[in-house]
Amino acid sequence: MIKKCLFPVAGYGTRFLPATKSMPKEMLPVVNKPLVQYGVEEALAAGLNEICFVTGRGKRSIHDHFDISYELEHQIAGTDKEDYLIEIRKVINSGRFASTRQLEMKGLGHAILTGELLVGNQPFGVILADDLCFNDDIGVMAQLVDIYRRTGSTVVAIQEVEEKDVSKFGIIAGVEEEPGLYRVTDMVEKPAPSEAPSNLAIIGRYVLSPFIFEVLRHTPPGKNGEVQLTDALLTLARTSKVLAYKFKGQRFDCGSVGGFVDATNHVYQNIYLKGRK
Ligand code: UTP
C-alpha cells in the first residue's frame, strides 16, 4: 500500500561545520556507515522500497553512494574486502532511487512539497536521516506503516522529552486513544517551555497522506521564516485525523554533535563489535 519514502536531505548541516562545508551531513559515518544508509535500511525494512531524495547543491555523493562503483568493485573483487560491500549491495538491489532538488532552503515543509514530484498522489513515509532510530525487532518506520494500515490516518512518531528541551522540537497535545497512540489536537513548533502543550515531541519519522501537499501549498512561512511541516500537520489535524505514536526504540539526534557522538558509541558497542564476533 505504501511504497515510497521521502528523504529531505537538502539542509546545510551548519551545526557540523566545517565538516559539512563540502560534504553532506547525511554522509557523515556513524562508525562505518553513512547516516543516510541507516535511514534507507529502515525504510526498506518497512517495505518502502521506492526511495525519494530531496537534495540540494553539493549532495551528489548521496546519489553515488546508492550506485555501483565499478572501479572500486573491480579492484577488490575476489579479496576479503568484498565483504565490506555486502550490506550496501543489498540496499542497492532492494531499492529504487530517485531524486529532485530543493533550489532554496525554505524549510522542511517546503522540502516535502518539493518531493511531490516524486511521490505523486499516494501516502508516503518521511525519514529525517539525522534522527537515527534503532529498535530490536520492528523499526520505527515499520511501526508507523502498521498504524497507517490499521487506521488510514497520517501518523507521526513522538517521544517524551525533558521540559528544557521542548524548544528544539514540534510539540503535540493529544487525546490518548490507545496506549501510546494519540489523536493530535494541537501542535506547536519549537515552543518556549512555558508555552508547550506537553512534553511529547515529534521526531523525524512520518507517514503522510498526499493531501499534505495541498495543505503545504497554502502554508505560509512560520517559525524562522521557514515553511514548517508542523504548521501544515496542525491544519490537517483540524480537518482530519492526525495520530501521534510513542514509538518503540531508541532515537539519537545526529543533527547535533552530542547526539552524533552518543549514536557512534551506541553503534560501536551494540552493533559493530557484535557483528565482528
Ligand atoms: P535541520 O533543522 O536539522 O537543518 O533540518 P539542517 O540544515 O539539516 O541542519 P543545521 O540546523 O543547519 O545544523 C531537518 C531536516 O530537514 C531537512 C534537513 O536536510 C534535515 O534532514 N531540510 C531542512 C531540508 O531538506 N530542506 C530545508 O530547507 C530544511
Side-chain angles (χ1 to χ4, degrees):
M1 187 170 57
I2 305 178
K3 295 179 297 192
K4 302 206 184 227
C5 191
L6 191 66
F7 286 76
V9 291
Y12 291 125
T14 52
R15 283 169 287 175
F16 279 89
L17 284 171
T20 46
K21 190 163 168 266
S22 64
M23 173 191 182
K25 169 173 78 174
E26 298 76 14
M27 287 304 292
L28 292 174
V30 175
V31 185
N32 60 342
K33 211 193 277 188
L35 257 180
V36 66
Q37 189 180 331
Y38 290 93
V40 169
E41 286 175 356
E42 187 184 321
L44 294 174
L48 314 188
N49 67 347
E50 296 183 20
I51 306 296
C52 309
F53 295 115
V54 177
T55 68
R57 283 174 291 280
K59 302 273 183 175
R60 234 197 76 177
S61 57
I62 297 178
H63 304 283
D64 290 342
H65 187 69
F66 295 100
D67 195 355
I68 293 169
S69 169
Y70 281 106
E71 208 178 304
L72 170 71
E73 304 226 358
H74 174 76
Q75 192 72 33
I76 65 175
T79 74
D80 51 7
K81 289 185 180 155
E82 257 195 308
D83 290 355
Y84 295 128
L85 292 179
I86 289 174
E87 273 182 79
I88 184 64
R89 275 186 187 152
K90 237 187 253 168
V91 169
I92 293 170
N93 291 333
S94 329
R96 295 165 66 201
F97 300 86
S99 78
T100 187
R101 275 194 186 200
Q102 188 187 15
L103 301 183
E104 291 174 278
M105 302 317 125
K106 292 184 181 170
L108 177 59
H110 181 260
I112 287 179
L113 183 55
T114 304
E116 182 182 18
L117 180 70
L118 301 174
V119 170
N121 188 25
Q122 54 185 298
F124 61 105
V126 174
I127 289 184
L128 305 188
D130 42 8
D131 270 344
L132 185 53
C133 293
F134 296 106
N135 189 39
D136 286 341
D137 41 21
I138 301 171
V140 179
M141 181 47 71
Q143 294 171 35
L144 297 190
V145 166
D146 184 49
I147 291 167
Y148 186 90
R149 285 203 176 112
R150 277 201 293 122
T151 64
S153 297
T154 283
V155 54
V156 306
I158 50 168
Q159 72 171 164
E160 285 184 38
V161 296
E162 288 183 37
E163 195 185 309
K164 67 173 171 53
D165 290 328
V166 291
S167 57
K168 296 179 192 160
F169 297 89
I171 301 290
I172 69 139
V175 180
E176 195 166 8
E177 293 198 329
E178 289 174 28
L181 187 62
Y182 298 76
R183 181 171 52 80
V184 173
T185 54
D186 197 9
M187 274 186 188
V188 193
E189 182 63 23
K190 301 189 172 73
S194 59
E195 281 159 20
S198 75
N199 68 339
L200 297 173
I202 303 170
I203 65 126
R205 299 290 182 278
Y206 313 78
V207 172
L208 302 175
S209 122
F211 189 58
I212 196 76
F213 295 128
E214 200 45 42
V215 179
L216 281 167
R217 246 187 290 285
H218 298 102
T219 302
K223 201 110 190 180
N224 304 330
E226 297 184 334
V227 179
Q228 298 289 351
L229 178 61
T230 308
D231 294 343
L233 285 170
L234 178 58
T235 307
L236 202 60
R238 288 187 173 139
T239 51
S240 60
K241 199 169 182 178
V242 172
L243 297 170
Y245 179 61
K246 238 194 244 177
F247 70 92
K248 296 192 170 54
Q250 240 179 318
R251 162 193 169 267
F252 295 92
D253 174 15
C254 288
S256 75
V257 173
F260 191 90
V261 172
D262 290 345
T264 301
N265 286 326
H266 174 85
V267 170
Y268 184 66
Q269 295 295 342
N270 299 293
I271 299 173
Y272 182 78
L273 288 181
K274 283 185 184 161
R276 304 195 101 202
K277 273 178 196 157

